[in-house]
Amino acid sequence: MSDQQETQSLLQETAKVKIRLSELRSAAALPDADPGPLLDAALVELELAVAALGSTGEDRATAEARSEAAESERRMLRTVFQDAPVPLFLLERDGTVRRVNRQAGALLGSSAGYLTGKPFPVFCDMATRAAVGSHIAGVFHSGQRRRTRVRFLSKHGPVFADVTLARIWVSGEPEPLVVAATAPSTREPAAQEPAPEVPATDDAVATVVHRMDVLATATGMLLEDDSLTESVAVRRSARLIAAELADWVIIDLEQNGALRRQVVIGPEDERRTQIARMLENVHPGSGSLPALVYDSGQSVLQAHIEDLRTLGTTQGDLPVCGLIEASSLICVPLDDGERTLGTLTLTVSGEQGPFDLMDLGLLERLARNLALVIRTGRRYRRRMEVTERLRAGLLPRELPAIPGTEVSARYVVATRDGGFGGDFYDVFPTAAGWGVALGDVCGKGEDATAVNAGARHGIRILGRWNAKPDEVLSMVNETLLDQERFVTAVMACVEPRDEGLAVMIGSAGHPPAVLIRRDGLIRTLSGGGIPLGLFADDFEVGVESLDLEPGDTLFLYSDGVVESSDAQRDRFGHERLIEILAAHAAGPIADMPLAVEHALIEFCGGELRDDVSMLALRVTADTGGRTAVSGSAV
């Protein structure tokens, strides 16, 4: 037979094949179609085509005739393969997909380009994956057909199917190939009530809306967390993602240069809860996917997992992906825009279908938001640590004992803390006895801290050599004139008497001190004066002298007490303060400032807008004894 006649014969045979395949497709569309014979028929057609190809082209005379015949061969094989009424996969010896037809792509919800080059078993669930690999090897070596039931991991969800495997020889191939023909399983579990059909467009819209809802919910949850606690934000995010998008969620964060596992959340049953606890101690190794994503800063989407060790192994050398039955995963870096803080990994087992690029885009946005919250929380925590250290330096570690007195102090940080600075109090020895000081700096922040420290230590140092509060405050005023901030302060110089104390009080624009007599009489002192740091020539100090007898109490406080307001903007005021002091006049000295603090917090509904400092000094009956002292910062 000449090359031209041979080519013509192939073309005629191709036309006949098309007719038979069309009849097979029609038969497959019937409601009661039996998939078994259809699979066999499709394989028969493929084998006939391969046999026809093998019998041609042995003695072609010219390259041109060879090319024409080869094109005819490819046309026949393509016709048989692509137009078969069932999904067909052409597999190499190791199970790698060489080619798929349109039906196979539709079955798995993926393009032929994506399926090609991947191991065929990865498109099956964990329960049938190993068996499928064994069947492929068996068919390749024995040449005998085999049929097995598998559960495909389609993009649209799991699909039960019967797969028939057959070996074929193709002209020009050094080794045989394996064809996998599939059809819906006739042994599928008892069907539930069929769900109503949803148009593809509506389904796509619903998917997009769901992703947007998840993103909005996660973002709102992170923004509403006032505590800025890293562990809380990480665990809440993991729980939300696990509930909406994945079977398993794993979050790893960098600590001291290495990734450390923080959260593992999976399905909530006893066995998987134990697995989650075990995996929380399995930190990512250097070759694991989370480590690679962390080092590169690049996201990875594996719609079908090929290597079950991609997330590492347990201490018993069990692959993590196999343990959690992961068939598809996404791993994205927790990147805050400045550096990578860790990784976020999601896996599914096939019930939802493999992850796609839309899932990857959503996870990258969620990861960015979580990373920003982590960064903000860490910065806030570092700032608070610095703030607490600075505050500790602005307050005395412990109050010294003044003979014949009891002293109690409280420092309460504003609930809405706008920075450090705030108030100060101090007790220190003077040339004639003891000095007591309390002040309030205008504003907060680093500048306020510097002024705070200058005022407190200036009063302490100058007061050690000068027992006149007006002169001490005047000298401190001169040192603060170039600070562009002012300070209100009160200083009391205390000198012991045979019974009681002689007190001289100087006020520089500070709220007036309160004197509580042992008989319950309460008097507000005159106060007055000009705040420190405002004027050089017109500066003056309000001065008042008084005697304290055993049982009398002197109460100093900052304006954060009387200026505090509730939700209706009503001020706590001086009268409420007087009532509380009167109610605790006969009680322990430590109860007095503590009672004021509790009343303030209750009045403000827990929203204290300014720092508060208080100091109470009471003369005891035993004028020769040592002072009982208490002081604290809250």
Side-chain angles (χ1 to χ4, degrees):
M1 182 183 295
S2 67
D3 290 336
Q4 186 175 2
Q5 290 175 332
E6 185 177 303
T7 300
Q8 186 63 32
S9 175
L10 281 172
L11 293 175
Q12 292 174 354
E13 186 63 29
T14 300
K16 294 177 182 178
V17 169
K18 287 184 177 180
I19 295 174
R20 293 197 298 269
L21 291 176
S22 177
E23 292 173 350
L24 285 174
R25 284 199 302 273
S26 298
L30 296 176
D32 56 350
D34 187 350
L38 290 173
L39 289 176
D40 293 336
L43 287 173
V44 168
E45 290 293 345
L46 191 59
E47 288 172 346
L48 288 174
V50 171
L53 297 178
S55 64
T56 62
E58 295 178 357
D59 298 315
R60 296 185 177 91
T62 64
E64 183 177 352
R66 187 189 305 273
S67 177
E68 184 179 353
E71 178 60 30
S72 298
E73 294 172 9
R74 287 193 293 270
R75 188 181 302 117
M76 172 179 284
L77 189 58
R78 187 164 53 247
T79 298
V80 174
F81 193 77
Q82 290 292 347
D83 293 343
V86 295
L88 294 177
F89 299 81
L90 189 61
L91 311 179
E92 297 179 1
R93 179 174 184 171
D94 60 358
T96 300
V97 177
R98 169 79 70 85
R99 183 173 296 176
V100 299
N101 66 354
R102 288 186 291 270
Q103 295 278 10
L107 174 70
L108 297 182
S110 300
S111 66
Y114 172 76
L115 300 176
T116 302
K118 292 181 173 56
F120 179 73
V122 303
F123 303 115
C124 309
D125 71 349
M126 291 292 176
T128 58
R129 182 176 297 186
V132 168
S134 298
H135 283 310
I136 293 173
V139 170
F140 179 86
H141 290 288
S142 68
Q144 297 180 354
R145 291 188 183 181
R146 297 193 182 189
R147 180 173 293 180
T148 184
R149 183 170 181 260
V150 304
R151 188 167 178 260
F152 281 118
L153 304 177
S154 168
K155 181 178 180 180
H156 309 296
V159 176
F160 290 90
D162 289 321
V163 176
T164 299
L165 300 166
R167 188 181 70 180
I168 62 172
W169 291 88
V170 178
S171 178
E173 292 290 337
E175 292 185 326
L177 300 176
V178 174
V179 174
T182 67
S185 175
T186 58
R187 296 177 289 141
E188 202 166 338
Q192 299 178 352
E193 189 68 22
E197 293 188 3
V198 180
T201 303
D202 293 347
D203 186 62
V205 171
T207 300
V208 172
V209 171
H210 176 251
R211 289 185 173 101
M212 293 176 64
D213 287 343
V214 172
L215 179 62
T217 301
T219 302
M221 177 189 68
L222 293 173
L223 291 176
E224 290 172 1
D225 183 11
D226 294 333
S227 67
L228 293 175
T229 303
E230 179 177 312
S231 60
V232 173
V234 167
R235 189 161 290 275
R236 285 181 178 176
S237 298
R239 289 196 177 280
L240 174 64
I241 295 171
E244 299 291 343
L245 299 173
D247 294 331
W248 289 85
V249 177
I250 301 172
I251 297 180
D252 303 308
L253 296 179
E254 183 272 334
Q255 292 181 356
N256 300 322
L259 278 184
R260 309 296 292 176
R261 188 135 293 162
Q262 302 296 312
V263 176
V264 178
I265 294 181
E268 295 183 354
D269 58 58
E270 184 176 356
R271 185 181 73 87
R272 291 183 176 90
T273 299
Q274 292 177 352
I275 292 175
R277 291 174 180 171
M278 178 183 67
L279 293 182
E280 284 183 345
N281 297 316
V282 180
H283 302 295
S286 59
S288 66
L289 183 62
L292 296 175
V293 169
Y294 172 76
D295 291 337
S296 67
Q298 300 296 319
S299 302
V300 171
L301 164 63
Q302 292 186 6
H304 295 86
I305 298 174
E306 299 181 22
D307 183 3
L308 297 182
R309 296 175 177 265
T310 190
L311 293 180
T313 59
T314 66
Q315 292 181 349
D317 202 34
L318 294 174
V320 172
C321 288
L323 190 63
I324 63 178
E325 301 177 1
S327 62
S328 181
L329 68 79
I330 294 177
C331 185
V332 298
L334 292 171
D335 186 350
D336 64 2
E338 297 179 357
R339 58 187 292 262
T340 301
L341 305 177
T343 60
L344 169 63
T345 304
L346 274 64
T347 74
V348 290
S349 60
E351 296 296 333
Q352 306 177 56
F355 290 121
D356 56 24
L357 291 177
M358 292 185 66
D359 296 317
L360 176 61
L362 172 62
L363 261 295
E364 286 179 335
R365 295 184 65 181
L366 287 174
R368 170 59 67 88
N369 291 347
L370 177 57
L372 290 173
V373 169
I374 292 174
R375 182 183 73 179
T376 302
R378 290 181 178 181
R379 288 180 176 177
Y380 178 77
R381 188 164 61 252
R382 286 195 295 268
R383 180 172 183 142
M384 289 303 298
E385 291 172 355
V386 173
T387 299
E388 292 306 317
R389 287 196 295 267
L390 287 171
R391 281 201 180 107
L394 295 175
L395 298 174
R397 294 184 179 181
E398 60 181 17
L399 297 176
I402 303 178
T405 68
E406 295 176 324
V407 181
S408 180
R410 299 286 295 178
Y411 186 103
V412 187
V413 180
T415 308
R416 297 183 178 181
D417 191 16
F420 40 83
D423 303 353
F424 67 87
Y425 64 80
D426 202 358
V427 177
F428 51 89
T430 67
W434 294 88
V436 177
L438 189 146
D440 184 4
V441 180
C442 173
K444 289 190 176 184
E446 289 82 352
D447 292 343
T449 302
V451 175
N452 186 323
R456 178 201 166 194
H457 292 293
I459 294 173
R460 165 182 276 267
I461 294 172
L462 295 172
R464 179 178 292 272
W465 313 109
N466 191 329
K468 296 182 179 180
D470 55 335
E471 295 181 6
V472 170
L473 293 176
S474 296
M475 287 186 285
V476 173
N477 176 68
E478 293 180 6
T479 66
L480 299 178
L481 289 175
D482 60 346
Q483 297 297 317
E484 298 183 357
R485 287 181 184 269
F486 65 87
V487 181
T488 67
V490 59
M491 176 183 177
C493 290
V494 179
E495 296 184 21
R497 295 287 186 261
D498 292 339
E499 284 194 8
L501 301 172
V503 180
M504 179 180 290
I505 296 180
S507 173
H510 200 78
V514 178
L515 175 62
I516 304 102
R517 295 292 187 183
R518 61 180 176 180
D519 58 4
L521 178 65
I522 295 180
R523 182 167 73 88
T524 300
L525 304 185
S526 57
I530 304 296
L532 305 173
L534 284 180
F535 307 109
D537 297 333
D538 297 331
F539 177 77
E540 63 179 21
V541 177
V543 180
E544 186 171 356
S545 297
L546 63 149
D547 293 324
L548 297 183
E549 299 178 355
D552 293 345
T553 302
L554 183 65
F555 188 83
L556 312 179
Y557 58 95
S558 64
D559 64 358
V561 175
V562 294
E563 296 294 334
S564 295
S565 60
D566 60 11
Q568 288 73 39
R569 299 294 181 181
D570 292 333
R571 294 171 62 246
F572 186 80
H574 190 72
E575 291 302 320
R576 283 190 177 89
L577 173 63
I578 295 300
E579 291 176 4
I580 296 170
L581 297 179
H584 292 81
I589 186 65
D591 289 352
M592 185 174 286
L594 187 61
V596 176
E597 176 188 335
H598 290 167
L600 274 174
I601 297 299
E602 181 179 0
F603 177 79
C604 300
E607 293 291 334
L608 194 61
R609 299 175 182 274
D610 192 11
D611 292 355
V612 168
S613 57
M614 298 171 282
L615 188 147
L617 182 149
R618 177 177 295 170
V619 181
T620 62
D622 182 7
T623 57
R626 299 291 291 174
T627 299
V629 179
S630 66
S632 65
V634 181

